[in-house]
Amino acid sequence: MRRLELVKTLDPRTKLLLVVVISTLSIVVTDVLWQLGLFLFSLGLLHLGGIGPVKVFSRLRRFLVLFAAVLAIQSLFAPAGDPLLTIGSLHVITRGGLIKGASVILRMLTIISSAMLLLTSGPMRLVLGLIHLRIPYEIAFMVLLAIRFLPVLGEEVRDALTAIQLRGVRIKEIPLGQKIRVYTYIFMPVVVSALLKAKKTAVAMEARAFRAHTQRTYLDELTLGRKDYAIMAATLLTGCGLCTIYLLGR
Amino acid sequence: MDFWTVRHVGFAYPGRQPVIRDVSFHIAPGETVALTGPNGSGKTTLGKLLLGILKPCVGQILVEGRDMADCSLAEMGSKVGYIFQNPEKQMFAPSVREEIAFGLRYRGYGDERVQEKVDEMLDYFELSHRADSFPFNLSQGEKQRLAIAAIMALEPRFVIFDEPTTGLDMRRKDRFAQLLERTRKRGAGYILISHDRDFGAACCHRQLMMKEGKLHCAD
Amino acid sequence: MSEVLAVRNLSFAYPGAEYLFERVNFDLHPGEILGVIGPSGCGKSTLALALCGIIPHSVEGNMQGDVLLLGENTRNLTVPQIATGAGIVFQDPETQLFLPQIRHELAFGPENLCLPRKEIARVIDEIASMTVMEHLLADNPNEISGGQRQLVALSAVLCMDPALLVLDEIASQLDEESTARILEVIGQLRDKGKAIVMIDHNLARLHLADRILVMGNGRIHALGYPRDILENGALLEHCFG
């Protein structure tokens, strides 16, 4: 439990630095083993922050097709080393291509999963973090609303699909062509209603004096503790250190 | 045979306290039932369970003797109409006319019959002047009427209304009571989810009282 | 005492439509409650939007006449500026709640008014105990019932302590107990000197009102004392059928 608290109570700015350093490293290093290490490290951090590997992978699932495509393209267009699968005279999968593909995928995985670290903060703390980084509060709140309204769009689609089924449409059983017709039918109303909602919310915010002054105050406080400074320093040192070791070792 | 048989049903949203605890009751075909109780007592959740929009965490719901776990939403939707508390939740068509026509057309009615039925509904629900408007631009009251019109056009055998009298003035409330009577005469049943106990008592055979996720008096 | 709100010859029409209401006139003083009643779709909610500047600033249409809030014409102020003096609780609570926790929701207004941190915490405690929703403060506004959302929306506006409160059908989804509590709160606010406009289609909930504005079919039918309006059977018959 205490470990969980540690990552959760970290200042979002500290997490932002962690994310930047990890992503930079993952771009600098090209060795697969190093990249695997980085990915495992960010998984470990997420685990400490209360997002276990199972959750991470379920969120990464939606990128699966993309990963498969990257793997195939790397193998096909940048073949190297022993062929593992050959069709006719074409080396479809080669050892070298596979390794290169894996390294690109690991890089993406590392960047996405380290960015997830920001989610362990709670959206309001993230806003505070952004404001402390001198980002205007209007923009910080826009980020918050984007986080809030993306799921709303998904919800709108789900609601519309539920409503359609409740009018007797067997959405799971109808042929693909009809299914596509149903989706295009609801597309416009769903988008428009989400936009209308966003506009109403913008008005509601102004009606509660949002942007009445150039400054505003905050109920919650964000202070960089000793822990934050220690972790920031350690992150920077380790980051630079790893970079040097890696580049010298090549 | 009962229309609904609810056996020891419990429900909780993921990671939260249960909202429905060990609820059991029966509803006969054509019965009219008021489901009342204070805010946050689980009325809406129970309504959604009866339609299969939510699935019970424990217990079992049978509809006409069949386990609802085996019924698709579409199957339930063709038997039971559900009017959401927030009418926007059930609108998806580009115009008022289309919203009402959608279900009819899917049932395979011919264009002429669809047209006829839509006009009848527009007229009955006083929406004719809005026929070509975008549903999300209607006033709150008009949205509510449209939601009811789109479902009633399909003449479901049971209708669940979630807080239907919200925002209705006296004249509209009377009109709504007339609609309920018409539904009853057609032989269909309905469930009124409402905190307005007087209205519920006036329009229904019996009352189910919810409190803190439990059923308090079954009759 | 000078008036909080002065409405002068106010008319409004949405683009391409007829006037929803024409030449509305009234004043509202501190400690006064104006009830607004009329059939659905008669323009009650639109009037509410005009009273707190959302019309003409954020809604398209043709507005004639003026609304003076604390002596200033709303045409010359921005919506956020107006919001420091007039708070509105919308009929549909869904879109007016947008933050991850209810306590953030209550803090949002006072934060915009630049209240110090400790003061915000105190105001939240005070209002939450007034509307009896302390137990909800850590919840997500998306995960509570419709009636509870109305309570949150009202509390969020009360935290800003505006001179004028515009309440649009705030009891429509509330049970008897919550309604009684809200009416009690409204009574307390009046005693504290707030000017309140209360829109409701249910006359029974407007018994607190000092005066009642009856709307319907594109015009104002009457502005009078509750007793006169209630006894005017012909008027009620005419408006509500």
Side-chain angles (χ1 to χ4, degrees):
Chain A
M1 240 5 234
R2 273 197 57 212
R3 287 180 316 170
L4 208 143
E5 290 297 301
L6 176 75
V7 175
K8 271 204 172 149
T9 54
L10 276 186
D11 193 286
R13 282 167 287 178
T14 313
K15 290 182 195 171
L16 208 58
L17 183 73
L18 266 168
V19 173
V20 170
V21 170
I22 294 175
S23 335
T24 315
L25 270 177
S26 81
I27 290 168
V28 171
V29 301
T30 45
D31 188 277
V32 176
L33 283 179
W34 278 71
Q35 284 178 335
L36 187 66
L38 270 177
F39 177 54
L40 290 178
F41 179 67
S42 37
L43 273 189
L45 277 180
L46 279 179
H47 185 63
L48 291 181
I51 304 184
V54 178
K55 246 189 192 163
V56 178
F57 282 112
S58 81
R59 284 193 198 177
L60 289 174
R61 219 178 31 201
R62 65 189 80 165
F63 298 104
L64 213 62
V65 180
L66 182 70
F67 293 153
V70 167
L71 205 58
I73 290 168
Q74 281 284 347
S75 287
L76 264 180
F77 295 103
D82 315 328
L84 298 178
L85 175 67
T86 311
I87 299 173
S89 62
L90 190 68
H91 299 321
V92 178
I93 299 179
T94 57
R95 189 184 294 276
L98 204 64
I99 290 174
K100 260 189 216 152
S103 123
V104 173
I105 290 170
L106 271 173
R107 191 174 282 163
M108 291 199 290
L109 281 174
T110 310
I111 293 173
I112 297 169
S113 59
S114 69
M116 273 188 204
L117 208 56
L118 293 175
L119 295 179
T120 59
S121 280
M124 238 7 227
R125 279 171 69 83
L126 198 59
V127 166
L128 283 176
L130 291 175
I131 283 154
H132 278 284
L133 292 170
R134 315 237 159 171
I135 287 172
Y137 74 81
E138 289 92 338
I139 293 178
F141 269 90
M142 263 166 62
V143 172
L144 176 79
L145 286 189
I147 298 175
R148 160 93 164 76
F149 272 96
L150 272 181
V152 168
L153 199 63
E155 216 173 278
E156 296 274 318
V157 174
R158 258 198 311 279
D159 285 345
L161 284 178
T162 305
I164 278 189
Q165 290 182 69
L166 288 179
R167 304 263 177 99
V169 178
R170 291 162 206 275
I171 197 97
K172 284 177 190 142
E173 296 160 31
I174 57 178
L176 189 67
Q178 263 190 42
K179 220 179 263 183
I180 290 172
R181 268 230 306 278
V182 168
Y183 279 105
T184 46
Y185 186 77
I186 63 170
F187 178 77
M188 194 274 282
V190 161
V191 170
V192 173
S193 95
L195 287 178
L196 279 177
K197 266 188 193 162
K199 194 187 165 211
K200 270 194 193 164
T201 302
V203 171
M205 287 173 85
E206 290 206 319
R208 298 231 302 270
F210 187 65
R211 300 204 325 219
H213 304 287
T214 48
Q215 293 288 315
R216 74 195 289 284
T217 52
Y218 297 89
L219 172 64
D220 294 337
E221 212 167 359
L222 209 56
T223 44
L224 286 169
R226 221 177 277 163
K227 251 179 351 199
D228 289 292
Y229 285 117
I231 289 179
M232 276 190 189
T235 311
L236 279 177
L237 280 176
T238 323
C240 293
L242 284 177
C243 238
T244 325
I245 295 172
Y246 178 77
L247 292 177
L248 285 179
R250 280 218 305 184
Chain B
M1 186 169 42
D2 291 333
F3 193 82
W4 270 295
T5 314
V6 177
R7 286 189 193 140
H8 303 292
V9 162
F11 180 82
Y13 290 97
R16 303 187 53 92
Q17 290 289 315
V19 258
I20 302 287
R21 305 156 199 257
D22 193 27
V23 165
S24 300
F25 59 92
H26 306 259
I27 291 179
E31 213 176 352
T32 61
V33 181
L35 181 59
T36 60
N39 293 134
S41 58
K43 305 187 292 283
T44 297
T45 307
L46 187 57
K48 288 185 175 167
L49 285 166
L50 287 180
L51 218 78
I53 301 173
L54 297 173
K55 306 268 178 234
C57 298
V58 287
Q60 189 188 33
I61 304 179
L62 305 179
V63 65
E64 297 184 314
R66 265 180 71 204
D67 191 336
M68 259 182 59
D70 306 329
C71 294
S72 71
L73 260 187
E75 230 172 299
M76 284 310 293
S78 55
K79 287 181 189 149
V80 183
Y82 188 92
I83 318 282
F84 288 79
Q85 181 171 14
N86 178 358
E88 287 188 5
K89 290 242 179 244
Q90 67 187 78
M91 305 195 297
F92 49 78
S95 77
V96 167
R97 186 180 289 282
E98 279 294 306
E99 189 73 49
I100 302 176
F102 182 88
L104 294 167
R105 217 168 272 149
Y106 191 80
R107 285 228 172 138
Y109 287 13
D111 278 350
E112 223 165 274
R113 227 177 124 202
V114 171
Q115 200 64 22
E116 206 174 287
K117 189 84 195 164
V118 170
D119 285 336
E120 182 197 325
M121 285 292 142
L122 286 173
D123 188 47
Y124 186 83
F125 288 96
E126 296 172 36
L127 289 166
S128 302
H129 60 298
R130 296 296 244 158
D132 299 311
S133 303
F134 183 53
F136 290 91
N137 281 340
L138 302 183
S139 80
Q140 195 66 20
E142 288 168 335
K143 279 181 198 164
Q144 222 169 354
R145 262 141 51 211
L146 172 59
I148 298 178
I151 296 296
M152 293 317 249
L154 299 173
E155 303 193 344
R157 290 164 48 207
F158 238 101
V159 192
I160 301 179
F161 296 94
D162 193 354
E163 298 287 359
T165 54
T166 300
L168 294 191
D169 56 54
M170 289 180 261
R171 191 177 76 86
R172 292 275 174 217
K173 228 167 164 176
D174 279 348
R175 289 278 293 171
F176 181 65
Q178 283 167 26
L179 172 78
L180 289 180
E181 201 183 307
R182 210 166 89 149
T183 310
R184 207 160 40 218
K185 283 199 177 131
R186 184 161 63 75
Y190 52 79
I191 298 177
L192 276 187
I193 300 177
S194 177
H195 57 257
D196 188 342
R197 244 184 292 169
D198 298 335
F199 188 79
C203 296
C204 297
H205 290 137
R206 67 176 174 136
Q207 282 208 37
L208 296 174
M209 262 278 286
M210 294 273 301
K211 206 178 171 192
E212 286 160 12
K214 284 187 184 157
L215 220 48
H216 269 242
C217 48
D219 284 286
Chain C
M1 241 189 291
S2 72
E3 68 270 358
V4 175
L5 182 71
V7 176
R8 298 279 174 262
N9 287 320
L10 183 68
S11 311
F12 183 77
Y14 284 105
E18 309 226 331
Y19 277 103
L20 257 180
F21 46 81
E22 283 182 274
R23 296 181 182 283
V24 180
N25 281 290
F26 64 86
D27 290 338
L28 200 59
H29 295 92
E32 255 191 317
I33 298 180
L34 175 75
V36 178
I37 193 165
S40 346
C42 72
K44 301 188 296 281
S45 296
T46 308
L47 177 66
L49 296 180
L51 295 185
C52 51
I54 294 172
I55 290 175
H57 293 296
S58 300
V59 174
E60 273 177 59
N62 178 12
M63 171 176 146
Q64 305 284 325
D66 295 296
V67 175
L68 307 175
L69 176 68
L70 299 165
E72 290 221 52
N73 194 323
T74 55
R75 289 178 189 275
N76 307 329
L77 301 167
T78 64
V79 174
Q81 283 170 341
I82 296 165
T84 61
I88 177 167
V89 181
F90 297 98
Q91 184 175 10
D92 162 26
E94 208 121 323
T95 43
Q96 58 184 318
L97 304 178
F98 42 82
L99 293 169
Q101 271 183 18
I102 288 169
R103 52 188 279 278
H104 296 138
E105 211 54 75
L106 299 201
F108 185 75
E111 287 175 344
N112 289 327
L113 300 177
C114 294
L115 258 56
R117 175 169 301 133
K118 277 191 185 148
E119 178 62 12
I120 298 176
R122 191 195 62 75
V123 167
I124 292 178
D125 282 347
E126 181 191 321
I127 299 298
S129 79
M130 194 172 177
T131 50
V132 197
M133 44 167 290
E134 296 108 318
H135 59 294
L136 293 175
L137 286 178
D139 286 359
N140 181 334
N142 274 334
E143 292 169 356
I144 55 176
S145 77
Q148 286 169 326
R149 263 184 226 149
Q150 282 183 318
L151 278 184
V152 175
L154 173 67
S155 309
V157 169
L158 291 184
C159 284
M160 300 174 68
D161 198 29
L164 169 71
L165 278 164
V166 180
L167 312 176
D168 190 359
E169 300 272 4
I170 54 163
S172 61
Q173 295 179 31
L174 292 181
D175 55 45
E176 283 160 42
E177 200 189 319
S178 307
T179 306
R181 192 191 313 139
I182 286 302
L183 290 177
E184 199 187 307
V185 168
I186 290 172
Q188 288 169 13
L189 292 166
R190 179 205 32 213
D191 296 344
K192 280 208 257 169
K194 301 279 172 226
I196 299 169
V197 176
M198 221 181 137
I199 294 172
D200 214 306
H201 61 275
N202 185 345
L203 257 178
R205 285 199 287 257
L206 291 178
H207 64 84
L208 281 173
D210 300 297
R211 282 175 302 157
I212 289 183
L213 183 74
V214 184
M215 295 179 74
N217 305 327
R219 56 193 207 92
I220 303 303
H221 287 282
L223 173 63
Y225 297 99
R227 202 188 316 147
D228 300 338
I229 301 246
L230 284 173
E231 280 173 4
N232 192 339
L235 175 70
L236 292 178
E237 179 74 21
H238 178 74
C239 291
F240 299 101

